[in-house]
Amino acid sequence: MKIATYNVENLFDMNNDGTEYEEYIPNGSWGWDEAMYRTKLRNTATVIKDIKADIIGLQEIESETALKDLKAELNRQGLYYQYYAFARTPNSAVNSALLSRYPIQSALKLPISRNGKYRDILEAKININGIFIRVFVNHWKSKSGPESERIACAKRLLLRLKEIPENEPYILIGDFNSHYEEYKTFLRSRKHNDTDGITGINNILKTVDEEGNPITYTALKTTKGSLYNLWYEIGEDQRWSHQYKGKMEGLDNIIISPGLADGEGIEYIRGSFGRFDAPYLFNKSKIYRWQQSRNYPKHHLGEGYSDHLPIYAIFRL
């Protein structure tokens, strides 16, 4: 069973809901029209089809309409997902979703605030041949704001995780807008470090121990309350999924619970974590994101994919 996550970068439908970014207003000045929408759907579906995941979490899906249109395009390309879940955050331009080839027994949203400042976390309980796993799809607050905003997301998630029975397996996936070692990379950033060195992904979720050492796969079994970030499964030079001003960051993460490393039920296959980096997702060594012309008149070019690379991991019963 392959589980993946992919920030698709702004998949907006053709309904004008009033929450769209300016460049995605249907039939607006940027040229976001039916033809452009269909091109974005095809390109996004091509990537998902090539990943061949059984379960995939998606970020930056505007609506359930856009998700259903994506499912339909995937079906045309030969990949059928029978089950889906969608978390609509009021007043949010983009939202999180999940596609699954296995039955979703239940799905719910974890709201972080009531004012729409934060995107809700999507929780889905999935039936894998009679064994259940919870998948949490995250899209935390962006780095346009300080770390305290991402800590708010982490605390809400942790509150829910503490309600789950101790040995029940779960997996955290998505765009956390946090590097897998955020506790190291943000220390010198006055803009981000408003928390005295504490980060949501590392300290609140406990992917590092009290001494600041990363939790290893072995330590996951013995360190109570800890979680394991799968970025450590590959070489350090490959631990990134996003480029920003020449800086490589692992903002997208797959984090597993001890229940996926205890030798029972559903288990993570060590060494199976990977970054989906097909050659067509790059252009001149840069991620081939969805292209827009900034020359007047500003407009969509109808090519490219996303500013994030997908990541995945394989599990077995």
Side-chain angles (χ1 to χ4, degrees):
M1 177 184 63
K2 180 184 284 188
I3 299 179
T5 180
Y6 185 30
N7 182 324
V8 304
E9 190 183 18
N10 297 329
L11 179 57
F12 283 83
D13 63 27
M14 291 306 296
N15 300 318
N16 195 335
D17 301 314
T19 55
E20 293 85 0
Y21 302 140
E22 178 187 0
E23 59 267 40
Y24 290 96
I25 295 174
N27 300 309
S29 61
W30 280 74
W32 184 251
D33 56 18
E34 185 68 26
M36 202 63 64
Y37 176 48
R38 293 296 162 184
T39 299
K40 176 70 173 178
L41 283 170
R42 284 193 300 271
N43 290 11
T44 303
T46 295
V47 180
I48 295 173
K49 173 180 66 69
D50 290 347
I51 298 169
K52 296 181 176 65
D54 297 289
I55 299 167
I56 184 166
L58 303 170
Q59 300 85 52
E60 299 198 13
I61 305 285
E62 182 194 15
S63 64
E64 194 167 341
T65 296
L67 181 63
K68 288 181 177 179
D69 287 345
L70 179 60
K71 279 178 82 267
E73 178 59 35
L74 281 163
N75 196 22
R76 280 189 285 271
Q77 295 191 24
L79 181 58
Y80 180 58
Y81 288 102
Q82 184 175 354
Y83 309 97
Y84 75 91
F86 182 76
R88 175 79 185 191
T89 303
N91 302 316
S92 177
V94 291
N95 299 278
S96 297
L98 182 140
L99 298 174
S100 176
R101 299 171 70 178
Y102 293 96
I104 299 174
Q105 176 169 304
S106 61
L108 56 88
K109 300 189 301 180
L110 306 180
I112 299 160
S113 68
R114 296 181 179 180
N115 57 14
K117 178 179 179 180
Y118 301 92
R119 289 172 286 263
D120 293 351
I121 297 169
L122 172 61
E123 174 187 343
K125 187 175 183 180
I126 302 176
N127 185 339
I128 313 294
N129 299 337
I131 301 177
F132 294 94
I133 183 173
R134 293 182 193 268
V135 180
F136 294 85
V137 185
N138 296 264
H139 190 190
W140 290 5
K141 202 78 170 85
S142 78
K143 286 193 173 182
S144 61
E147 181 62 20
S148 56
E149 295 180 338
R150 285 169 291 287
I151 280 185
C153 301
K155 286 184 174 179
R156 178 62 184 94
L157 178 57
L158 183 63
L159 183 66
R160 174 60 182 146
L161 297 180
K162 288 182 176 179
E163 297 173 345
I164 297 174
E166 185 174 350
N167 295 324
E168 185 173 336
Y170 60 82
I171 180 172
L172 316 179
I173 64 176
D175 177 4
F176 292 74
N177 275 304
S178 301
H179 189 60
Y180 71 96
E181 288 188 340
E182 187 71 19
Y183 72 114
K184 293 181 180 179
T185 60
F186 92 130
L187 285 176
R188 297 181 180 179
S189 172
R190 294 182 180 179
K191 176 181 179 181
H192 294 137
N193 187 5
D194 65 337
T195 56
D196 294 327
I198 301 299
T199 70
I201 192 170
N202 300 126
N203 304 102
I204 303 301
L205 295 184
K206 290 189 69 175
T207 60
V208 300
D209 62 22
E210 294 181 357
E211 285 73 41
N213 301 307
I215 297 296
T216 63
Y217 179 84
T218 302
L220 179 64
K221 303 175 183 180
T222 57
T223 308
K224 186 175 177 59
S226 65
L227 301 173
Y228 178 50
N229 195 316
L230 297 188
W231 276 118
Y232 291 105
E233 296 279 297
I234 61 175
E236 191 170 353
D237 62 333
Q238 296 293 306
R239 296 177 193 167
W240 59 274
S241 59
H242 181 264
Q243 295 170 302
Y244 180 70
K245 294 183 178 179
K247 186 178 181 181
M248 313 300 192
E249 295 183 303
L251 302 185
D252 306 276
N253 294 268
I254 296 180
I255 300 171
I256 65 171
S257 70
L260 292 168
D262 61 3
E264 300 178 1
I266 299 174
E267 288 289 285
Y268 167 64
I269 298 177
R270 293 205 67 185
S272 70
F273 173 82
R275 187 184 68 177
F276 184 74
D277 51 7
Y280 65 79
L281 292 178
F282 296 87
N283 184 21
K284 297 179 181 179
S285 76
K286 293 183 179 180
I287 295 177
Y288 193 20
R289 66 181 303 176
W290 180 253
Q291 298 296 296
Q292 299 169 339
S293 172
R294 298 291 170 174
N295 296 326
Y296 184 82
K298 299 177 180 179
H299 60 282
H300 295 277
L301 296 176
E303 57 187 57
Y305 300 90
S306 169
D307 56 346
H308 289 250
L309 296 174
I311 55 176
Y312 63 86
I314 301 176
F315 300 79
R316 64 184 170 206
L317 296 182

